Amino acid sequence: MNPEDDLIESPLQQTYSENGHSVEICIYRMKDTPWTLEVVDVHGNSTVWDEEFESDQAAFDEFFRTVKEEGMESLIGEPSGTSFQPEFDEPDGLLELNDFLMSDAVSDQTMSIDMLDGYLTAIVIGPTTLQTSQWFPGIWGPRAEDAPAFADMDEAKRIMGLIIDYYNDLIGGFEEEANEPLLAYSREEDREYLDGEGWAYGFMQGLALCRPDWQALFDDSQGVKWLKPIRLLGAEDLSEEELLLIETPEQREELALQIEASLVEIHRFWLPHRKAVHEINLAGTYHRDHPKIGRNDPCPCGSGKKYKKCCGMNLR
């Protein structure tokens, strides 16, 4: 039997983000041994506690004690040349990711870079934390055959790392209230217009992943106003009356200009909910605050293999 099959992993394992930094909290043991606490940063650097723990909750509490006393920065190392979770580097990382999304390696259903920005934004600021495996396949398209044809496993890990770091970058940006939507431009009749349709479509796709959980915002009169420009530009179920509001490029540009202010308000609307979840985490009750890919889950890169046998192989 493979020794890895005997590894017992705690349900308290999760991805944790604070002050723009994200780490993987790994808590595990072998049969009849104490628990080990390991923290892995976005560069693939690992910190393992010398102390072993009688319970997984004790290990979990030790992580938060360390963060409180020493800060998240104490658990973040320098980028490694062999890491497959690179820190998102603009503009190089953005250009590399955009080139891949526009390449022949993906289907015509794959999101463009502005759609991806909108999609991830909805996931980051919304009321429900989704596991990476729940949202990652949606980037490529609705069908299994839309999964990208990576050149090799290194490319799969590289692209997956760029997307995860893009996600983490958005989290940090909203925590600092310094995010701007990545909107495109279109040319009509010799004039360029700000084009938010692709971005808004991506946002609505992200929202649709857990649509019932967003109901409180739809039931709020202000929430409806904040969502209006995004919904008009990105929804597929508009009425004839609503379609009249997006007939011209000037109308669509005016709506696109409203998106940034709407995002600030939507983020603030869900902030008390996200803080409540954070407090539950600090109290020691398990409730995942950021996505976690289980090592036995299907790898979100689309290879069909388990995560631990694919893109998760070099993360520890």
Side-chain angles (χ1 to χ4, degrees):
M1 179 181 291
N2 188 328
E4 184 179 17
D5 294 333
D6 294 331
L7 188 69
I8 300 171
E9 296 181 313
S10 168
L12 296 175
Q13 294 192 137
Q14 59 182 278
T15 302
Y16 179 78
S17 295
E18 183 177 298
N19 298 329
H21 296 298
S22 294
V23 296
E24 285 282 324
I25 307 172
C26 306
I27 304 172
Y28 50 86
R29 66 180 175 89
M30 302 296 289
K31 186 178 180 181
D32 300 325
T33 68
W35 292 92
T36 293
L37 172 61
E38 178 181 6
V39 172
V40 182
D41 69 13
V42 295
H43 310 301
N45 300 307
S46 172
T47 302
V48 180
W49 271 247
D50 293 331
E51 175 188 0
E52 293 184 315
F53 302 88
E54 289 303 313
S55 69
D56 56 348
Q57 184 65 58
F60 192 67
D61 292 342
E62 173 62 19
F63 167 78
F64 283 102
R65 185 199 65 78
T66 300
V67 170
K68 181 178 180 180
E69 294 183 1
E70 302 178 23
M72 279 284 281
E73 293 76 7
S74 67
L75 299 172
I76 307 299
E78 293 297 321
S80 165
T82 59
S83 172
F84 289 103
Q85 284 189 297
E87 183 178 14
F88 197 78
D89 179 20
E90 294 189 56
D92 292 342
L94 186 65
L95 291 174
E96 181 180 352
L97 186 53
N98 180 63
D99 287 346
F100 183 82
L101 295 175
M102 298 297 290
S103 73
D104 292 336
V106 300
S107 78
D108 58 3
Q109 299 296 312
T110 293
M111 292 182 175
S112 59
I113 194 69
D114 56 328
M115 289 182 190
L116 177 63
D117 189 89
Y119 183 69
L120 294 181
T121 296
I123 294 166
V124 164
I125 70 173
T128 303
T129 297
L130 301 174
Q131 294 183 1
T132 311
S133 56
Q134 291 177 278
W135 55 260
F136 209 98
I139 296 170
W140 314 119
R143 306 164 302 177
E145 54 265 36
D146 290 325
F150 294 111
D152 50 37
M153 192 54 62
D154 284 354
E155 182 178 60
K157 292 174 181 177
R158 172 67 180 172
I159 296 302
M160 181 177 172
L162 285 172
I163 293 172
I164 294 297
D165 286 328
Y166 199 160
Y167 170 89
N168 286 330
D169 191 59
L170 286 172
I171 292 174
F174 277 105
E175 287 178 350
E176 298 174 7
E177 297 189 351
N179 258 29
E180 294 182 11
L182 183 63
L183 306 181
Y185 284 87
S186 61
R187 177 171 289 276
E188 296 189 38
E189 299 179 354
D190 297 325
R191 181 189 159 186
E192 276 196 341
Y193 292 90
L194 191 64
D195 184 354
E197 289 185 277
W199 186 97
Y201 176 80
F203 187 97
M204 295 303 295
Q205 293 301 301
L207 184 155
L209 293 175
C210 54
R211 170 60 179 80
D213 298 347
W214 284 75
Q215 191 58 45
L217 189 66
F218 282 89
D219 291 340
D220 185 276
S221 60
Q222 287 297 318
V224 171
K225 292 180 181 179
W226 300 330
L227 278 171
K228 183 177 179 179
I230 300 172
R231 185 175 174 277
L232 286 174
L233 291 172
E236 297 180 309
D237 59 347
L238 300 181
S239 66
E240 290 187 8
E241 181 179 345
E242 289 173 324
L243 288 172
L244 294 175
L245 301 176
I246 56 171
E247 275 191 323
T248 68
E250 288 84 5
Q251 287 175 307
R252 296 191 293 272
E253 182 177 61
E254 179 59 33
L255 290 168
L257 290 169
Q258 298 173 32
I259 289 176
E260 185 175 350
S262 289
L263 292 180
V264 171
E265 299 299 339
I266 294 171
H267 176 256
R268 289 175 179 169
F269 181 89
W270 292 119
L271 190 58
H273 175 82
R274 290 193 298 274
K275 284 185 175 180
V277 172
H278 179 68
E279 290 302 319
I280 290 174
N281 275 334
L282 290 177
T285 303
Y286 172 64
H287 189 129
R288 182 163 290 124
D289 191 33
H290 290 294
K292 162 72 178 176
I293 310 172
R295 289 177 60 75
N296 287 309
D297 289 344
C299 189
C301 79
S303 68
K305 299 180 181 179
K306 289 184 178 181
Y307 178 64
K308 68 182 179 182
K309 297 296 185 181
C310 189
C311 293
M313 291 179 66
N314 291 333
L315 297 186
R316 295 186 183 180

